[in-house]
């Protein structure tokens, strides 16, 4: 997969814009969406009032003016840092949206009306309209090719410079507005209304306009709000305790203690983590229609994949000619090529290609006066009637067998053995007959994509079960499943079979992902917890899924799962770190507050902080600076390794839990040592 996105976390332009947004986001209506940081804003406002009061009245009962100003500024900076974390994540998305807008510029469209071409603006195209494109044209709108075949440059969307082939019919018919036609001529039917195109949806998504909080994010927000409420009670109860011991606890001390004890670290980074998760998905060339889909991907248990075009390279290819005894190789190959004259299927074309490799050319064949017999689903065969009366047929074993027996001939045992051998090896046999006499078999084989076994092994280590879905017979399906390295397979699958399998897994409490590109995949994509549609697939598939893979890479789920797990782990680890921080800050501030009036509490002042004032300032400064220090981690995500959940939990608790306790002790002490020089 080629990644064309910038890897820089803090480009200069984005930083400048994010700094501006840090102030804009101070609007209480915006801050209210984050309960933790909203309470910090209230505390900052209260601190401002206390500071102004102390400056105007000269009252030092609430601490000196300089001390109050310092506390106010630090709390204010804490707010700005938290807003900056969210703003930089949003800015990265908006930068991508700007590049997409350039792709979606107004382009002329060759609208087809009664077989006449009328040039109109792309914004005038409606769903159901038909337009024409030829080499050099920009495709003006999303649609499905209804006529023709063309080479298309999709680099503006995918970043991949290699052109792709799109053609009418099948699962490779979808085109996206903003991409460029490189060759040939196509007619396209518009599948979206103006403003509802794929690019429009992408732009809205990456800008954050349609980003909704995920269930996990909402639950964590409620938990953090609960923590905040608990520490409101904790701080209030300190007042009567201070009065009892004769300790004057200033408003600044109360506010600082409260801000330090509530989980401001995770509170300030929570939105950034969610936005960054979707951003990482986009950088992996995956468009997600919701943050929930990314999050769910981290907990996937089962993955369903189509065989054709997903596990295999695509259509079956002819790999070998098998003439029966008494038939010469060259004679048989020549007949096979004649039988494929009217076969426009990819399999038919591959037979011609294999014949070419054996030194044959279609132009060398004597086909004057020949009548072409096209393949139909009913007959399951194709062929040609030559001018001399010879009837050549090529098709499925059962079709040719019936044809042979109906003419009073016996199906050769040798050909039957060849058919069985090809089927046992996961191939597809095509039997060839001349005048209802079988003369040989063509072997077709699925070509498994290179490196796919290693990819499936990695998914297995992640705890994801892979299931191959195919319309092939069980024998062929079993062979390919074993060769590809999937855990299970569904043979002779109909659309409803996929649905049933997904529902069965979901009934057992498992989360299911489905990858597909065809209209027949749409119901299953909609039913799955994570539905990943190929960008090259049909419009129906892309509409049904909640993710679209721009690279059309069937093993992209590995990246998607990793991003999902990164998102969940990043939230979990930073929450652990934040709560561990709170424990350390409690031991920094509370003992320092009471160590003068209650000397016995001095034993808890294990940091040996200089004074209550320096302790409070050191704690709030550390509380402020830890947020920007963790922004890179929030944006990049915690590195994921496919190890067991227990091992992963132990590692994160050790690093972020223990680290979250130790870091404040060290940091606050160092800051206190510096502050004490000036107090």
């Amino acid at each position: 997969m080629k990644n064309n996105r910038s890897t820089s976390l803090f480009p200069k332009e984005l930083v400048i814009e994010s700094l501006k947004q840090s102030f804009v986001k101070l609007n209480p209506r915006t801050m209210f969406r984050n309960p933790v940081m909203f309470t910090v804003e209230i505390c900052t406002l209260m601190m401002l009032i206390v500071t102004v009061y102390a400056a105007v009245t000269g009252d030092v009962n609430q601490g000196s003016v300089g001390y109050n100003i310092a506390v106010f500024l630090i709390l204010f900076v804490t707010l700005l840092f938290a807003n900056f974390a969210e703003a930089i994540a949003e800015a990265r998305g908006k930068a991508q949206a700007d590049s997409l807008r350039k792709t979606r510029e107004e382009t002329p469209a060759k609208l087809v009306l009664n077989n006449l071409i009328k040039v109109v603006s792309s914004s005038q195209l409606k769903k159901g309209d038909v337009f024409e494109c030829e080499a050099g044209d920009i495709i003006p709108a999303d649609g499905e090719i209804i006529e023709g075949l063309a080479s298309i440059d999709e680099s503006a969307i995918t970043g991949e410079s290699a052109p792709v082939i799109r053609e009418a019919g099948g699962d490779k018919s979808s085109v996206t507005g903003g991409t460029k036609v490189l060759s040939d001529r196509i007619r396209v039917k518009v599948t979206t209304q103006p403003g509802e195109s794929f690019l429009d949806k992408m732009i809205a998504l990456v800008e954050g306009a349609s980003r909704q909080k995920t269930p996990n994010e909402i639950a964590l927000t409620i938990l953090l709000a609960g923590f905040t409420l608990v520490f409101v009670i904790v701080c209030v109860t300190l007042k009567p305790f201070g009065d009892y011991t004769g300790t004057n606890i200033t408003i600044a001390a109360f506010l600082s203690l409260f801000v330090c004890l509530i989980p401001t670290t995770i509170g300030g980074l929570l939105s950034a983590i969610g936005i960054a998760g979707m951003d990482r998905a986009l950088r992996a060339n995956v468009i997600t229609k919701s943050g929930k889909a990314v999050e769910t991907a981290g907990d996937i248990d089962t993955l369903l994949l189509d065989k054709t075009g997903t596990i295999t390279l695509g259509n079956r290819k002819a790999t070998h000619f098998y003439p029966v005894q008494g038939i010469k190789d060259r004679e048989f190959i020549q007949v096979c090529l004649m039988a494929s004259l009217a076969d426009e299927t990819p399999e038919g074309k591959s037979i011609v290609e294999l014949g070419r490799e054996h030194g044959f050319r279609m132009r060398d064949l004597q086909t004057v006066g020949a009548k072409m017999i096209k393949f139909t689903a009913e007959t399951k065969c194709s062929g040609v009637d030559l001018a001399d009366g010879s009837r050549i047929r090529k098709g499925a074993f059962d079709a040719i067998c019936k044809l042979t027996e109906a003419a009073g001939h016996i199906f050769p045992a040798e050909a039957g053995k060849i058919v069985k051998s090809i089927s046992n090896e996961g191939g597809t046999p095509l039997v060839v007959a001349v005048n209802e006499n079988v003369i040989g078999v063509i072997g077709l084989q699925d070509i498994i994509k290179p490196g796919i076994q290693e990819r499936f092994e990695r998914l297995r280590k992640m705890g994801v079960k892979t299931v191959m879905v195919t319309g092939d017979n069980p024998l062929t399906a079993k062979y390919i499943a074993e060769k590809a390295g999937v855990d299970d397979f569904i043979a002779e699958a109909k659309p409803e079979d996929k649905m049933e399998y997904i529902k069965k897994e979901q009934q057992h409490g498992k989360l299911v992902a489905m990858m597909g590109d065809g209209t027949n995949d749409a119901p299953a994509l909609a039913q799955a917890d994570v539905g990943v549609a190929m960008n090259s697939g049909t419009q129906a598939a892309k509409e049904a899924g909640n993710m679209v893979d721009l690279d059309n890479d069937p093993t992209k789920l590995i990246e998607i799962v990793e991003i999902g797990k990164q998102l969940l782990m990043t939230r979990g680890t930073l929450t652990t770190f934040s709560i561990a921080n709170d424990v350390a800050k409690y031991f920094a501030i509370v003992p320092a507050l009471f160590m003068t009036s209650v000397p016995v509490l001095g034993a808890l002042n294990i940091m040996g902080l200089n004074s209550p004032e320096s302790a409070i300032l050191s704690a709030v400064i550390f509380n402020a600076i830890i947020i920007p220090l963790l922004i890179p981690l929030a944006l990049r995500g915690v590195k994921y390794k496919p190890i067991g959940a227990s091992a992963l939990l132990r590692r994160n608790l050790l690093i972020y839990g223990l680290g979250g306790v130790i870091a404040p002790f060290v940091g606050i002490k160092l800051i206190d040592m510096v502050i004490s020089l000036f107090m």
Side-chain angles (χ1 to χ4, degrees), residues 316-368:
R316 298 177 183 92
K317 291 185 178 180
T319 55
H320 208 283
F321 295 113
Y322 299 94
V324 297
Q325 195 170 2
I327 304 294
K328 294 179 180 178
D329 285 354
R330 290 190 64 81
E331 181 188 341
F332 179 63
I333 296 171
Q334 192 169 4
V335 171
C336 291
L337 294 182
M338 286 184 177
S340 303
L341 285 172
D343 191 351
E344 293 295 324
T345 65
E347 290 86 354
K349 292 175 182 176
S350 77
I351 293 169
V352 174
E353 184 62 34
L354 186 62
R356 190 179 288 119
E357 291 174 11
H358 284 78
F360 287 86
R361 297 289 183 271
M362 297 298 281
R363 62 176 177 265
D364 298 332
L365 302 176
Q366 301 299 318
T367 58
V368 178

Side-chain angles (χ1 to χ4, degrees), residues 13 46 48 76 98 133 147 281 397 411 413 452 501 584 602 613 643 672:
E13 301 79 15
M46 291 172 64
L48 176 63
F76 185 66
D98 290 338
C133 282
E147 186 182 313
F397 163 71
F411 193 94
I452 199 115
Y501 193 95
E613 288 80 11
I643 58 177
D672 181 77

Side-chain angles (χ1 to χ4, degrees), residues 251-578:
I251 294 173
F254 275 120
L255 296 177
S256 300
L257 178 64
F258 174 71
V259 169
C260 287
L261 290 184
I262 64 173
T264 48
T265 308
I266 183 64
L269 296 170
L270 187 58
S271 293
I273 294 167
I275 296 167
M278 296 182 72
D279 180 67
R280 283 196 296 276
L282 187 59
R283 289 172 190 274
N285 271 358
V286 177
I287 302 301
T288 60
K289 297 180 182 179
S290 72
K292 183 183 176 182
V294 181
E295 197 170 272
T296 305
D299 289 325
I300 285 297
D301 300 294
T302 307
L303 166 64
L304 269 68
L305 307 103
D306 263 348
K307 184 208 72 176
T308 307
T310 302
I311 293 172
T312 60
L313 285 174
N315 301 292
R316 298 177 183 92
K317 291 185 178 180
T319 55
H320 208 283
F321 295 113
Y322 299 94
V324 297
Q325 195 170 2
I327 304 294
K328 294 179 180 178
D329 285 354
R330 290 190 64 81
E331 181 188 341
F332 179 63
I333 296 171
Q334 192 169 4
V335 171
C336 291
L337 294 182
M338 286 184 177
S340 303
L341 285 172
D343 191 351
E344 293 295 324
T345 65
E347 290 86 354
K349 292 175 182 176
S350 77
I351 293 169
V352 174
E353 184 62 34
L354 186 62
R356 190 179 288 119
E357 291 174 11
H358 284 78
F360 287 86
R361 297 289 183 271
M362 297 298 281
R363 62 176 177 265
D364 298 332
L365 302 176
Q366 301 299 318
T367 58
V368 178
K371 181 186 177 185
M372 307 301 173
I373 310 297
K374 291 191 175 183
F375 175 87
T376 66
E378 196 174 334
T379 62
K380 292 185 180 178
C381 65
S382 62
V384 60
D385 291 343
L386 300 178
D388 63 4
S390 299
R391 298 177 302 280
I392 300 172
R393 296 292 183 271
K394 174 203 73 190
F397 163 71
D398 57 344
I400 302 298
C401 188
K402 286 178 183 176
L403 197 69
T404 303
E405 291 173 352
H409 302 297
I410 298 171
F411 193 94
E414 185 187 352
K417 288 179 182 177
I418 296 170
V419 167
K420 190 175 180 181
S421 173
I422 294 170
S423 299
N424 287 340
E425 291 178 0
T428 301
L430 288 180
V431 183
V432 181
V434 177
N435 297 329
E436 291 77 46
N437 284 298
V438 174
I439 64 167
V441 183
I442 306 169
L444 302 177
Q445 196 71 47
D446 283 295
I447 309 300
I448 292 173
K449 293 185 175 183
I452 199 115
Q453 294 95 336
E454 291 78 7
R455 304 279 283 178
F456 287 145
E457 181 59 33
R458 186 167 174 83
L459 280 167
R460 197 170 292 111
K461 287 180 179 177
M462 292 178 181
V464 179
K465 176 186 175 184
T466 50
V467 182
M468 181 185 79
V469 182
T470 177
D472 290 335
N473 62 74
L475 200 64
T476 302
K478 185 174 183 290
Y479 176 85
I480 295 170
E482 288 174 353
K483 200 171 178 183
V486 295
D487 300 309
D488 197 3
F489 65 89
I490 305 171
E492 298 176 340
K494 298 181 286 293
E496 53 268 30
D497 295 331
K498 302 173 192 177
M499 289 283 288
E500 286 302 314
Y501 193 95
I502 293 171
K503 287 178 180 178
K504 186 178 71 175
E505 290 286 291
Q506 290 172 335
Q507 284 168 4
H508 288 91
K510 294 180 179 179
L511 295 177
V512 182
M514 168 73 190
M515 302 192 78
D517 58 2
T519 301
N520 65 324
D521 297 322
L525 286 168
Q527 178 67 36
D529 300 284
V530 177
V532 185
M534 303 292 117
N535 188 43
S536 63
T538 62
Q539 191 68 26
K542 290 196 285 187
E543 289 294 332
N546 49 24
M547 290 189 182
V548 178
D549 175 23
L550 300 179
D551 292 325
N552 307 305
D553 180 358
T555 60
K556 181 64 72 66
L557 195 84
I558 291 175
E559 281 80 10
I560 295 170
V561 169
E562 287 186 347
I563 291 166
K565 289 187 181 296
Q566 272 192 323
L567 181 63
L568 295 171
M569 285 169 54
T570 304
R571 270 202 207 117
T573 52
L574 288 182
T575 302
T576 303
F577 186 88
S578 182

